Amino acid sequence: MSTVGDGGPDSPGLAMVLHLVRSGIAVTRPEISRLSGLGRKAVALRVEQLIACGLLSEGRFGRSTGGRLPRELQFEERAGLLLVAELGATVISVGLTDLSGRLIQEHIEPADTLAGAETTLARVEEMFRKLLAAAADELAAPLWGIGIGVLGPVDAASGRPVPLSFLPGWGDYPVRDRLEAAFGVPVWVDNEVNLMALGEFRQGGSRTPDMIYVKMGSGTKAGIISGGRLIHGVGGAAGEIGHISVSDDPAFACACGNLGCLNEFTGSQRLAAAGREAARSGRSVSLREIHEAKGDLDANDVARAAAMGDRAAVEILNRAADKVGRVLAVLVNVHNPSLILIGGTVAAAGDSFLSAIRQAMYPRAFPSSVRDLRVSFSPLSDRAGLVGAAFLALDQLLGRAALPVWIDSHSPAGHTAADLRLAAPETRKDLP
């Protein structure tokens, strides 16, 4: 392997040069030199390395600033592929992305992931192989890594979900080890809601460095980005707002063992139960018709009925929004974000749901904390977690630590999955 002194793959600034071109901040060698602080010769050497391993290529001539016209550089986003997955409580989403994080293929299907990791990951592996087979003829690029979001907190060092009584069959399961053994590439694992926040931050268009992503599904939880950093906390449990107690009523006992957790008022099962009651009692003609046609109804039905103006459905969701807004008022005072994004089942309810959250949150939050605060639905919607899973892997593979490991062989195939992953052991770092 070359050394730092001769401009080899360990040279300082290699990942910086790639990042500048990959992000579109600088596309010519003079621009890279000016923005990176590296000399022209050093930039030339690093660009040559990146071209040699297929990550950059020469493009058209750029604008002259005197002398020869500089050649523009472009990031070869199709040089490699990533498999990504997001595991919700009732849905499995998988996808295939290029090195820009753009989804090339995706598949979503209903599933009972609470049945445990063995069954769920067997299905994920099956779908992963189908995605690779479908893309084989069109995309002649190697698989470089896997990013996956799972239910609940994850121990970053082991890639295993933290044991929780209400997530049987997942606690301490070797998710990362299993997938690395199956596909021979490095794997990174995180809480699904963290990946939704990361996906919105990196590709959702807001790019605000202080934001909260709230997913409302079987439970309510948050992914928090502060100062451009994804916040995990010591045990990976940051953002578990669904287990904040909002009532002492013994009728609302949570599976976690506490009373009156937010999930007991906002979870999809609670919303569906309230919808069934409204249908049976005759308070909602729309929900009764849905119930009779389907033989049942779920939280999605309640959200869609609310969007159509059904009064009972609106009341059900407004009660949930009130609880969420009160909890978010506390979080806003602590974190002071500029953006809150709402995703999950309730997104189908429309703006009335967001209005109810604002009405509960704004009067209870410190005035300066909400002065510049926006609350809106997730722009990426169901794709946020898959996009975030891609960037979870990309930020490591193309970062300072891992990049030289496989540039040395011009291909990630020259190293084991553990080599590449261990080259970048710190998965919780500043986001570019």
Side-chain angles (χ1 to χ4, degrees):
M1 179 180 289
S2 303
T3 64
V4 172
D6 64 11
D10 283 338
S11 300
L14 190 67
M16 183 196 308
V17 170
L18 179 61
H19 171 68
L20 288 171
V21 178
R22 176 184 162 209
S23 62
I25 296 172
V27 294
T28 66
R29 291 169 177 81
E31 288 175 345
I32 293 171
S33 180
R34 178 169 54 84
L35 292 173
S36 69
L38 296 171
R40 287 178 176 265
K41 183 177 180 180
V43 168
L45 286 172
R46 286 153 183 77
V47 167
E48 287 174 12
Q49 291 167 349
L50 293 167
I51 290 176
C53 70
L55 283 172
L56 293 183
S57 64
E58 298 274 12
R60 62 186 181 182
F61 285 101
R63 187 174 55 187
S64 175
T65 56
R68 286 190 311 176
L69 290 175
R71 290 291 294 270
E72 290 189 350
L73 299 165
Q74 55 192 31
F75 176 55
E76 289 298 317
E77 55 196 32
R78 292 296 181 99
L81 300 172
L82 299 172
L83 286 168
V84 291
E86 179 209 333
L87 310 181
T90 59
V91 172
I92 293 176
S93 301
V94 297
L96 187 70
T97 83
D98 60 22
L99 298 185
S100 72
R102 180 168 52 249
L103 279 165
I104 300 168
Q105 296 183 23
E106 62 180 309
H107 174 74
I108 303 174
E109 68 179 37
D112 179 15
T113 60
L114 297 179
E118 282 287 346
T119 302
T120 302
L121 291 177
R123 180 57 182 154
V124 169
E125 290 175 0
E126 183 180 354
M127 290 190 285
F128 274 173
R129 291 191 175 94
K130 287 182 178 179
L131 289 177
L132 289 173
D137 293 335
E138 180 185 352
L139 303 168
L143 178 66
W144 282 7
I146 295 174
I148 181 169
V150 301
L151 292 168
V154 174
D155 176 69
S158 65
R160 300 181 178 215
V162 173
L164 296 170
S165 61
F166 50 90
L167 290 177
W170 282 98
D172 206 33
Y173 188 89
V175 175
R176 185 180 69 198
D177 295 344
R178 173 174 177 152
L179 293 176
E180 286 188 348
F183 293 94
V185 295
V187 175
W188 285 274
V189 189
D190 205 340
N191 190 328
E192 56 153 352
V193 74
N194 287 338
L195 299 189
M196 292 173 181
L198 179 57
E200 287 289 0
F201 175 68
R202 298 299 295 280
Q203 207 175 83
S206 66
R207 294 294 297 177
T208 175
D210 294 280
M211 61 171 282
I212 299 172
Y213 186 103
V214 179
K215 182 190 178 184
M216 295 184 63
S218 60
T220 299
K221 48 189 176 179
I224 303 171
I225 290 179
S226 179
R229 291 172 60 94
L230 190 57
I231 303 300
H232 292 85
V234 175
E240 289 292 337
I241 63 173
H243 295 286
I244 293 176
S245 180
V246 295
S247 171
D248 293 324
D249 189 339
F252 294 93
C254 181
C256 75
N258 290 327
L259 290 179
C261 287
L262 180 65
N263 285 344
E264 293 304 303
F265 296 87
T266 61
S268 55
Q269 290 184 343
R270 180 67 64 177
L271 299 180
R276 294 187 199 103
E277 190 281 326
R280 286 192 295 265
S281 67
R283 289 192 302 113
S284 171
V285 174
S286 297
L287 292 176
R288 183 181 65 195
E289 291 175 348
I290 294 171
H291 194 278
E292 290 174 350
K294 295 174 55 177
D296 197 6
L297 56 77
D298 57 26
N300 287 299
D301 296 320
V302 177
R304 284 192 289 267
M308 297 298 292
D310 182 86
R311 181 174 297 180
V314 170
E315 289 176 355
I316 291 169
L317 288 174
N318 281 357
R319 286 197 296 269
D322 179 76
K323 295 292 187 183
V324 172
R326 290 169 183 259
V327 168
L328 288 179
V330 177
L331 201 56
V332 163
N333 283 348
V334 172
H335 175 42
N336 191 200
S338 59
L339 176 66
I340 294 177
L341 295 177
I342 308 294
T345 305
V346 297
D351 290 338
S352 64
F353 185 79
L354 295 181
S355 295
I357 287 180
R358 295 187 190 103
Q359 289 172 12
M361 178 179 64
Y362 278 63
R364 293 174 175 85
F366 192 63
S368 63
S369 295
V370 294
R371 182 182 302 134
D372 301 312
L373 177 64
R374 290 187 297 120
V375 182
S376 62
F377 287 121
S378 165
L380 292 179
S381 188
D382 293 340
R383 294 185 167 192
L386 294 180
V387 172
F391 281 102
L392 177 69
L394 284 171
D395 289 344
Q396 303 304 317
L397 288 168
L398 303 182
R400 286 178 299 178
L403 185 61
V405 174
W406 52 264
I407 278 189
D408 191 35
S409 62
H410 292 180
S411 169
H415 294 273
T416 67
D419 287 338
L420 291 169
R421 179 171 39 76
L422 292 174
E426 180 53 67
T427 63
R428 295 172 179 179
K429 61 174 194 173
D430 288 342
L431 303 176

